[in-house]
Amino acid sequence: TLLRLIRSARWEAPQAPRVIGIDEWAWKRGQTYGTILCDLEKGRVLDLLPDREAATVSAWLKRHPSVAVIARDRATVFARAMRDGAPRATQVADRWHLLHNLGDALRAAVGRHRRAVSAASGIERSKPERPGLHKMPVCHPGIDKLRNERRQARAERYAAISRLHVDGIPPRRIAREVGMSQRAVERWLAAGGEPEHRRPPVASLVDPFRPYLDRRWREGCHNTRQLWREIVADGYKGSFATLARWAAPLRSADPTDSSEPAARPPAAPRPSRRRCAWLLGCERDDLTAAERSYVERLTAAEPALATASTLTRSFAALVRSGDASRLDAWIASADESELSGLATGVARDRAAVAAAIAEPWSTSPVEGHINRLKTLKRSMYGRAGYDLLRARMLAA
């Protein structure tokens, strides 16, 4: 009876919303989505739509002609719906999504210049690490061999993808040819190379005893079991296998040499693609001396990244400035750079991007309501469909 009463009630949005925010919400993530509309002036949910089709959103907007401002993300489906359902309304792109797109574009640019990232070496440590925390990777030669084989296999697969792409074959067919998903093929092509699977170095229980072990190895003691007994008496808590992994590279270097090879100094850590893009996007005054030095080496090795770094900082400052008068100049300057894809998208959505810079509205309140919607949906899992979920969301 209660459910029948709820379903028969009329849950209507307020009559004249003026400023609204729109976004998608997931029925089943990655497969089915709905649309949520919120009144940004009153901070309440206006309606919940069962899908995110342009026709459904357009029909809702036509039933509410009072809407004058619509905040949205960069999704093209919502842009089409607004042009059809509310052609006179001002579309406002969300600033967070703009900066997120900027970060993605810069990371893709860094991925296309991985040789320059490697040539710039790494970021020097500003202070020496404590004895127990030195992170020198220690791997068994068999593991190194396996990783090299897999790295070579990825390189060969990317070479095959590149040949097919040059021949004009679309990603969907390439994916079938090489046995990958279409999305993975598109990511590899956009990045300009196969992905790097670099595992971060980890601390070892052997590290505090390295000076002693180095000295004993130089003295000619290459008996791992004897070395293990000595450091156990000195407080070593690790296993014999851990110490054997430490000794394996020394033995494989020259099994007949009684003296230890020169100790390898810890290499300066090379930043990941995400970290490298973050450094390029930061203002120089916000970086440490070591980070500034790395960025200078990187931009010297690849001038295209220097240009992308400058354009990234200028666009971020433009989005936060509140003045959209310099937007056209930025689009023109980025058109031939590593950020040309972003510039093309911004130019295509210029009116909404300009409004995002000048207007105070964003989709942040909508994201908060989506979090509440997720909680309600999960608490009703298996017991309710769209009609009851909509009623509960609007009545709360």
Side-chain angles (χ1 to χ4, degrees):
T1 301
L2 282 174
L3 295 181
R4 187 166 55 251
L5 290 173
I6 293 173
R7 286 190 172 100
S8 63
R10 294 180 59 84
W11 305 100
E12 296 295 338
Q15 294 299 316
R18 194 185 70 85
V19 182
I20 69 170
I22 185 171
D23 205 346
E24 62 187 19
W25 56 279
W27 267 112
K28 190 173 184 181
R29 188 173 180 180
Q31 297 187 33
T32 54
Y33 288 85
T35 303
I36 184 171
L37 301 106
C38 301
D39 189 328
L40 296 182
E41 290 182 312
K42 297 180 180 179
R44 59 168 296 175
V45 177
L46 293 173
D47 209 343
L48 219 59
L49 305 182
D51 57 52
R52 58 174 176 181
E53 298 297 327
T56 304
V57 179
S58 175
W60 190 94
L61 292 172
K62 289 177 180 178
R63 294 197 302 270
H64 300 82
S66 62
V67 174
V69 179
I70 307 173
R72 60 169 174 82
D73 58 16
R74 306 292 309 288
T76 56
V77 61
F78 291 145
R80 291 198 307 270
M82 294 169 196
R83 285 194 296 269
D84 180 46
R88 296 184 180 180
T90 300
Q91 298 185 33
V92 181
D94 184 64
R95 287 181 291 278
W96 183 89
H97 285 89
L98 285 173
L99 296 177
H100 183 71
N101 296 151
L102 177 65
D104 288 343
L106 187 56
R107 281 193 295 276
V110 171
R112 289 190 289 269
H113 297 284
R114 287 181 292 178
R115 291 184 179 178
V117 174
S118 299
S121 184
I123 300 176
E124 299 294 336
R125 294 183 175 90
S126 58
K127 57 183 179 180
E129 296 185 351
R130 289 181 294 169
L133 299 177
H134 175 58
K135 295 179 175 57
M136 180 181 289
V138 179
C139 290
H140 190 276
I143 297 177
D144 283 336
K145 179 182 178 182
L146 179 61
R147 289 177 180 172
N148 289 332
E149 290 174 353
R150 290 178 176 175
R151 189 178 299 112
Q152 181 63 28
R154 289 195 299 270
E156 293 173 357
R157 178 172 285 188
Y158 176 71
I161 291 173
S162 298
R163 287 194 299 270
L164 295 172
H165 182 63
V166 170
D167 293 340
I169 299 177
R172 184 186 298 275
R173 286 181 53 195
I174 294 176
R176 290 198 297 266
E177 290 285 340
V178 299
M180 296 171 57
S181 69
Q182 179 182 346
R183 183 69 188 114
V185 170
E186 292 170 347
R187 282 200 305 267
W188 285 29
L189 290 173
E194 69 279 4
E196 292 180 325
H197 297 166
R198 293 191 300 112
R199 290 174 173 81
V202 296
S204 171
L205 293 174
V206 177
D207 290 340
F209 304 92
R210 282 183 185 277
Y212 176 79
L213 292 170
D214 292 343
R215 179 173 60 81
R216 292 287 286 134
W217 193 274
R218 286 193 297 270
E219 291 173 355
C221 182
H222 295 176
N223 187 320
T224 309
R225 181 69 64 176
Q226 175 63 28
L227 293 174
W228 178 71
R229 283 194 292 265
E230 293 176 7
I231 62 176
V232 164
D234 198 28
Y236 173 65
K237 301 297 185 183
S239 66
F240 171 76
T242 300
L243 185 63
R245 285 194 296 271
W246 167 83
L250 301 179
R251 295 186 187 282
S252 62
D254 189 356
T256 63
D257 190 0
S258 61
S259 62
E260 180 193 1
R264 295 176 297 174
R270 180 162 61 93
S272 64
R273 182 176 67 169
R274 180 180 294 273
R275 173 70 172 169
C276 187
W278 183 84
L279 293 173
L280 289 172
C282 279
E283 295 293 339
R284 296 296 180 259
D285 293 340
D286 296 334
L287 302 177
T288 65
E291 291 170 339
R292 282 196 298 271
S293 175
Y294 174 78
V295 170
E296 289 169 1
R297 295 195 302 272
L298 176 59
T299 53
E302 184 49 66
L305 290 180
T307 303
S309 175
T310 302
L311 290 169
T312 297
R313 295 196 303 272
S314 63
F315 186 76
L318 175 62
V319 169
R320 300 185 180 104
S321 67
D323 180 12
S325 60
R326 294 179 285 115
L327 181 59
D328 291 331
W330 185 89
I331 294 173
S333 61
D335 190 47
E336 299 296 330
S337 71
E338 290 288 335
L339 304 184
S340 59
L342 176 66
T344 301
V346 169
R348 185 168 53 245
D349 205 16
R350 187 202 174 284
V353 174
I357 298 172
E359 297 285 342
W361 310 109
S362 76
T363 61
S364 296
V366 185
E367 298 290 351
H369 286 295
I370 290 176
N371 284 336
R372 183 164 64 92
L373 173 61
K374 291 177 181 177
T375 302
L376 293 177
K377 179 171 70 75
R378 288 165 184 162
S379 69
M380 300 164 65
Y381 180 76
R383 297 178 176 86
Y386 161 73
D387 54 350
L388 290 181
L389 180 60
R390 176 177 179 269
R392 189 171 180 183
M393 194 69 184
L394 297 182

